[in-house]
Amino acid sequence: MINKLVIENIKYRLVRTLLCALVVGVQVMLILTLIGLSRGMLEDNANRAKGTGADIFLKPGATISFSAGQIDAKFVQFVQKQPHVKLAVGGLIIPVPGELLTAINGVDIAQFTQLSGGFRLQKGQPPSEPNDLLVDEYYAQQHRVNVGQIYKLLNHDWRVTGIMDGGVLGRLVVPLKTLQELTGNATPSRISQIFVKLDNPAAIDAEVKHLNSVLEGNLTAISAPAFLSQFSISNIPQLRSFIYVVVALAVFVGFLVVFLSMYTAVVERTRELGILKALGAKPFTIIDMLVRESIVLAVVGCIIGIILSFGAKGLIMAIMPASLQVVTVPDWWPIAGAIALAGALLGAIYPGLKAARQDAIEALSYE
Amino acid sequence: MSSGPAIIQVSKLYKTYRVGEVDVHALRGVDLSVPRGEFLAVIGPSGSGKSTLFHILGGLAPPTAGEVLVDGVDLRKLTENERTELRQKKVGFIFQKYNLLATLTAADNIRIARSLAGNETEPPGFGETLELLGIHKRLHHKPRALSGGEQQRVAIARALVNQPAILLADEPTGNLDTVNSDAVLKILRDLNRQSGQTILMITHNPEAAAFADRTVTMRDGQIIGV
Ligand SMILES: Nc1ncnc2c1ncn2[C@@H]1O[C@H](COP(=O)(O)OP(=O)(O)OP(=O)(O)O)[C@@H](O)[C@H]1O
Ligand SMILES: [Mg+2]
């Protein structure tokens, strides 16, 4: 019977219930989108690194941050001469001005093709002339770029020669030399990282050790598996803290909205609660009833949130797939649900106690 | 019908409300004995303490001092929880404003009272009570679809569903027109006559009081006339 009363009460105030659930849902959506975005961006970056086909990455530091032109290109020849190194390819990374996370990658196209096994082209050709530009599908979609058109980047006119699948090196690929000349990295020739392919992939760890000892701290070698594992939320403390903050905020906002909704409901229903008490409802029964209502809010809110998160994902991926990548994170659905539930239960405590403590006679004379 | 052992025994009952710094003496030494099976009318001017007396008899408020026995239970000794149980099992309330739950149908209003007392099924013979009340065809309606008289009869059904020892009706006809008033009063009298239900009824109307076996008058927190 209590369940019936809960359901009838919810139906009686359907619009408010739905609004409240919607706010909870927006919270859930924000969490899911934040996680999906973090993971999507990281996975996307990891995929592109993986797509280079390198067994070992050489960088100025050991982290995933890049800075343009910090490595003397002579190191490429040096590394190429090391035992077990089949191929060493230098790459320059230049951020695109005005675009948050997009960079232009300069590589020797022929060498890089050998390293990676080639770009997976959807349209057109790989770059062959100095001013040729290869873009990936996401960049092409977001910026409406087509094969054959002239496209301006870094104040330079490029000819778009091809559109490739995402997941190899970067969104924008151009010949290394041209990029070096444009950015003052030509003399002396400077690059951002070195991709290394080994003749025996099983020897990666030994080779990393060897390279790190012969490079004497000038560069850091890191194996592809170790490098790729850095692209995860748990390995980025700042991102993790940020997520904790957002989750805490979500619990708080969920608490506030359920608190408000339940508080109004309790005041509004003063008389009704008085009737229940006169009929012999115990304080626990009253609290139980309100808690069940909050749980319904949280569950409905969570479902709305999951649905909304698909909408947010679709929207982001349709409008700006090059800047932002979102993935669906079903493993976070129960977590987001628990967060919504925690907020809702916290929100139900005070109104519940207030309702339970209310004097039945006074409540009955409440208009 | 004033024979047999007393189902309600009240002596020197006091109830004092504290409102801010002021003590309001709502009851000042009430003595009352109600035999099992009596239909008693309580009349008296506004503010004389009639409702307060009912609230105490029904376990909605604790007495301040004095003796109150309801169906063998000493109300002075009850905890809050035990008073709640008293309301569930021994007392049926009927109010002037019906006090049905607006979100539930008539049937569910009755059912929830039963459910709060820990039962999910109707007591045996309850169908006849519903028929006597004349609401058996209106049970699937919500209160707002029912007339005042019908709502009050649903409230009576709800008050009876746990087979209470005493039925406390606080101005049950106060909101009803003469026709509906009469119907409700006749139902109360029939319940009393046919099943020996003990009923206490507050009223301002002498004609309503005439339905009862006996009338007592309250004034200034005491019962003055018998
Ligand atoms: N909860 C309360 N707090 C303070 N004073 C109260 C409370 N309940 C009743 N009183 C006071 O107790 C006195 C008796 O009130 P009560 O409601 O019992 O009168 P009544 O006889 O039922 O009147 P009426 O015929 O108007 O219903 C009144 O002076 C009233 O103001
Ligand atoms: Mg009164």
Side-chain angles (χ1 to χ4, degrees):
Chain A
M1 259 328 276
I2 289 286
N3 281 336
K4 189 151 188 180
L5 187 58
V6 168
I7 292 166
E8 292 302 325
N9 276 332
I10 286 172
K11 282 207 292 205
Y12 202 69
R13 299 168 177 82
L14 196 59
V15 173
R16 187 188 325 152
T17 306
L18 284 178
L19 274 178
C20 181
L22 185 66
V23 177
V24 173
V26 168
Q27 287 307 305
V28 168
M29 177 205 73
L30 285 180
I31 293 176
L32 293 179
T33 305
L34 170 69
I35 303 291
L37 198 58
S38 308
R39 218 178 263 173
M41 302 284 285
L42 289 168
E43 272 176 18
D44 182 55
N45 274 288
N47 270 338
R48 280 184 269 140
K50 201 170 164 188
T52 59
D55 296 316
I56 295 173
F57 295 82
L58 289 169
K59 296 164 173 303
T63 62
I64 51 178
S65 65
F66 297 101
S67 21
Q70 283 194 346
I71 305 176
D72 194 315
K74 277 181 212 142
F75 279 108
V76 178
Q77 281 93 58
F78 175 78
V79 171
Q80 181 71 68
K81 281 184 214 126
Q82 300 304 313
H84 300 298
V85 173
K86 199 162 118 190
L87 187 62
V89 179
L92 178 63
I93 302 171
I94 302 292
V96 178
E99 280 188 46
L100 186 57
L101 294 162
T102 312
I104 310 178
N105 287 266
V107 284
D108 182 296
I109 302 295
Q111 281 184 2
F112 185 80
T113 303
Q114 219 182 319
L115 178 85
S116 64
F119 301 103
R120 294 185 296 272
L121 286 159
Q122 296 184 346
K123 272 190 218 163
Q125 306 292 324
S128 52
E129 301 295 319
N131 296 325
D132 284 356
L133 166 69
L134 183 59
V135 303
D136 80 350
E137 50 184 331
Y138 302 118
Y139 196 91
Q141 185 190 338
Q142 180 173 333
H143 297 269
R144 298 179 215 290
V145 177
N146 268 314
V147 173
Q149 88 177 70
I150 302 297
Y151 193 71
K152 211 177 190 75
L153 279 173
L154 301 173
N155 261 326
H156 184 77
D157 285 335
W158 303 89
R159 190 171 64 94
V160 179
T161 55
I163 294 172
M164 61 171 168
D165 284 350
V168 178
L169 187 59
R171 305 231 183 276
L172 301 163
V173 178
V174 298
L176 176 63
K177 267 227 162 51
T178 322
L179 190 61
Q180 281 177 323
E181 280 159 11
L182 273 173
T183 56
N185 286 307
T187 42
S189 171
R190 301 184 72 81
I191 50 177
S192 314
Q193 57 182 339
I194 302 172
F195 309 107
V196 178
K197 193 154 191 83
L198 302 182
D199 56 10
N200 174 16
I204 291 185
D205 290 336
E207 187 66 16
V208 165
K209 257 196 202 119
H210 168 74
L211 285 176
N212 274 329
S213 75
V214 295
L215 287 165
E216 295 171 339
N218 284 309
L219 290 178
T220 309
I222 179 166
S223 72
F227 182 58
L228 294 176
S229 77
Q230 291 184 356
F231 292 97
S232 85
I233 294 172
S234 51
N235 279 325
I236 306 177
Q238 299 93 323
L239 183 58
R240 219 173 43 206
S241 314
F242 180 63
I243 287 171
Y244 287 151
V245 169
V246 172
V247 164
L249 271 177
V251 171
F252 184 65
V253 173
F255 155 79
L256 271 190
V257 74
V258 172
F259 176 92
L260 218 66
S261 168
M262 281 298 148
Y263 190 85
T264 355
V266 165
V267 172
E268 237 178 31
R269 266 186 252 162
T270 300
R271 195 180 176 84
E272 189 174 305
L273 295 169
I275 297 170
L276 286 169
K277 282 186 180 172
L279 293 175
K282 299 199 164 155
F284 173 79
T285 313
I286 304 278
I287 294 177
D288 184 30
M289 193 176 89
L290 293 170
V291 163
R292 286 183 205 201
E293 253 183 79
S294 323
I295 291 176
V296 171
L297 284 179
V299 169
V300 174
C302 189
I303 293 168
I304 292 177
I306 289 171
I307 295 169
L308 285 179
S309 75
F310 279 99
K313 178 187 166 192
L315 197 67
I316 291 172
M317 293 302 276
I319 295 176
M320 42 176 62
S323 314
L324 303 172
Q325 287 276 317
V326 190
V327 293
T328 311
V329 285
D331 56 319
W332 263 75
W333 292 352
I335 301 174
I339 290 166
L341 202 60
L345 289 179
L346 283 176
I349 291 176
Y350 179 76
L353 290 178
K354 179 182 157 74
R357 273 202 224 106
Q358 206 148 43
D359 182 67
I361 301 170
E362 274 173 42
L364 281 173
S365 56
Y366 184 91
E367 296 298 324
Chain B
M1 261 268 174
S2 37
S3 59
I7 196 164
I8 295 175
Q9 190 60 256
V10 177
S11 61
K12 300 197 177 56
L13 171 62
Y14 287 82
K15 177 69 184 180
T16 306
Y17 287 109
R18 188 148 192 117
V19 182
E21 293 291 293
V22 190
D23 281 343
V24 179
H25 301 284
L27 299 179
R28 314 163 181 243
V30 173
D31 294 307
L32 177 69
S33 172
V34 181
R36 189 179 293 274
E38 187 173 53
F39 184 178
L40 177 76
V42 180
I43 60 170
S46 189
S48 58
K50 306 181 296 293
S51 295
T52 304
L53 174 62
F54 272 36
H55 292 155
I56 291 173
L57 291 175
L60 274 172
T64 305
E67 193 180 66
V68 189
L69 288 168
V70 174
D71 198 23
V73 180
D74 188 346
L75 297 202
R76 282 176 307 179
K77 298 193 182 122
L78 297 190
T79 61
E80 174 103 41
N81 233 336
E82 289 165 333
R83 278 196 283 117
T84 305
E85 275 163 21
L86 180 90
R87 296 203 291 274
Q88 290 173 357
K89 306 214 161 106
K90 286 209 186 293
V91 183
F93 276 108
I94 303 167
F95 306 91
Q96 179 176 354
K97 287 179 181 161
Y98 326 131
N99 280 338
L100 299 176
L101 296 172
T103 52
L104 296 183
T105 61
D108 285 338
N109 263 284
I110 298 166
R111 220 169 273 146
I112 197 148
R114 183 87 177 142
S115 159
L116 284 170
N119 289 301
E120 297 300 334
T121 53
E122 280 182 0
F126 196 66
E128 284 154 43
T129 308
L130 293 177
E131 239 164 279
L132 170 82
L133 290 167
I135 49 168
H136 50 293
K137 296 205 177 98
R138 309 286 289 157
L139 289 174
H140 57 282
H141 288 291
K142 294 211 170 153
R144 69 180 130 77
L146 300 174
S147 74
E150 284 171 330
Q151 288 190 56
Q152 193 60 301
R153 283 179 276 152
V154 172
I156 296 173
R158 179 181 64 182
L160 290 171
V161 75
N162 291 317
Q163 300 170 302
I166 58 173
L167 194 61
L168 300 173
D170 192 341
E171 300 187 43
T173 57
N175 273 12
L176 299 177
D177 58 29
T178 343
V179 176
N180 277 305
S181 245
D182 253 35
V184 163
L185 289 165
K186 282 201 180 99
I187 286 166
L188 291 178
R189 192 180 56 197
D190 289 350
L191 279 168
N192 173 254
R193 298 258 165 94
Q194 287 171 18
S195 44
Q197 177 69 54
T198 307
I199 302 174
L200 279 73
M201 175 179 75
I202 294 173
T203 180
H204 281 286
N205 181 351
E207 283 168 38
F211 279 80
D213 302 322
R214 178 165 70 114
T215 301
V216 295
T217 306
M218 282 195 79
R219 177 156 310 188
D220 298 331
Q222 287 183 318
I223 289 180
I224 52 165
V226 180

